[in-house]
Amino acid sequence: MSVAENLAAVRERIAAACARAGRDPGSVRIVGVSKTQPVETVAEVIAAGVDAIGENRVQEAAAKRPLVSGATPWHLIGPLQRNKAAAALALFDLIETIHRVEIADRLESLLTGGDRVLPVFLEVNVGGEEAKSGVAPAEAAALADHVGRRCRHLRLTGVMTVPPYDPDPRRSRPHFAALRGIAADLAVRLGTGPLELSMGMSEDFEVAVEEGATTVRLGRILFGERRPA
Ligand SMILES: *Cc1c(COP(=O)(O)O)cnc(C)c1O
């Protein structure tokens, strides 16, 4: 199957999940996660109409994005180090992985004095896993307050999570529901409209959509297995 056929098949499965949940299928965006995939594949999925491109490493995006044209936004979905913040700003339209005050402050200071307002998501470690990035659920409110009050050049528009790995996608459901609850609390706190929910990957996106995902991040189901480095 071509990338375009894979994307069409995924859209059908999203539509079915939306029907089960009583949702509008137009409310779910697909981020094509193109890590390890060549730039030709990125161009292919953009031509097929994917909503955004997701890369988890700044350096990899730096090698690809200049070679790809078009208005499709690029999302950073991997951890951002302070020393890569300037490069990330040049490459990405949205950063999904704000998990510490220091990273928010670094981006804010780089943007200070300009007109650009960067949409960002908070990455939440819903499973409380030691080895995983993301703000602890109990600390999400404080981080959101900081971004909302102190970072005028950042606009908090969503939350993102990668739940603990489990081969059974049904086990992700409580984690997705937890993120939805956190997003609802933050929206009230910040006095914003509903926040975007970035959750669901190749194995569990249908469960995520049933639980309210507005952004799913899909790699292997669109592109096949990742390529060796
Ligand atoms: C790689 C990656 C994905 C996509 O994973 P697949 O299982 O290939 O769909 C989604 N989100 C993040 C943060 C990733 O690093």
Side-chain angles (χ1 to χ4, degrees):
M1 291 239 286
S2 70
V3 168
E5 286 168 328
N6 291 341
L7 182 63
V10 161
R11 284 212 198 273
E12 278 183 28
R13 288 171 62 180
I14 289 174
C18 283
R20 290 194 292 278
R23 298 185 55 200
D24 167 13
S27 64
V28 182
R29 291 189 298 163
I30 299 174
V31 177
V33 178
S34 54
K35 63 191 183 204
T36 81
Q37 300 296 338
V39 71
E40 294 75 23
T41 306
V42 180
E44 220 180 321
V45 76
I46 289 175
V50 79
D51 299 293
I53 294 296
E55 286 281 347
N56 66 338
R57 297 180 58 209
V58 173
Q59 259 154 320
E60 196 175 335
K64 290 182 195 170
R65 184 154 195 187
L67 307 175
V68 177
S69 54
T72 305
W74 287 52
H75 292 195
L76 179 63
I77 60 168
L80 177 59
Q81 269 103 45
R82 232 179 149 272
N83 62 350
K84 300 267 172 61
L89 282 174
L91 292 164
F92 293 99
D93 304 284
L94 191 155
I95 293 181
E96 295 202 14
T97 49
I98 303 296
H99 67 296
R100 289 193 296 134
V101 162
E102 292 70 36
I103 292 298
D105 284 348
R106 177 70 185 144
L107 292 168
E108 175 64 22
S109 79
L110 288 164
L111 291 166
T112 296
D115 294 334
R116 181 176 177 195
V117 175
L118 179 76
V120 297
F121 294 175
L122 297 191
E123 180 177 6
V124 184
N125 185 357
V126 285
E129 290 171 282
E130 197 85 6
K132 210 164 260 176
S133 172
V135 64
E139 286 153 27
L143 181 56
D145 283 348
H146 182 87
V147 173
R149 299 205 182 117
R150 299 283 163 81
C151 303
R152 292 164 184 276
H153 298 82
L154 305 183
R155 180 171 300 132
L156 183 55
T157 58
V159 289
M160 173 275 208
T161 199
V162 181
Y165 174 74
D166 195 302
D168 180 353
R170 292 172 302 182
R171 299 251 179 87
S172 297
R173 189 181 296 279
H175 297 295
F176 294 148
L179 189 69
R180 188 183 62 226
I182 290 166
D185 289 347
L186 295 184
V188 170
R189 205 178 171 92
L190 298 168
T192 62
L195 294 176
E196 299 254 359
L197 288 173
S198 175
M199 57 191 197
M201 311 186 354
S202 290
E203 312 290 346
D204 56 13
F205 69 95
E206 288 156 304
V207 174
V209 167
E210 288 170 11
E211 292 299 325
T214 61
T215 299
V216 293
R217 305 179 311 268
L218 304 178
R220 289 164 302 142
I221 200 167
L222 295 177
F223 305 122
E225 287 307 312
R226 285 189 253 290
R227 318 258 173 129

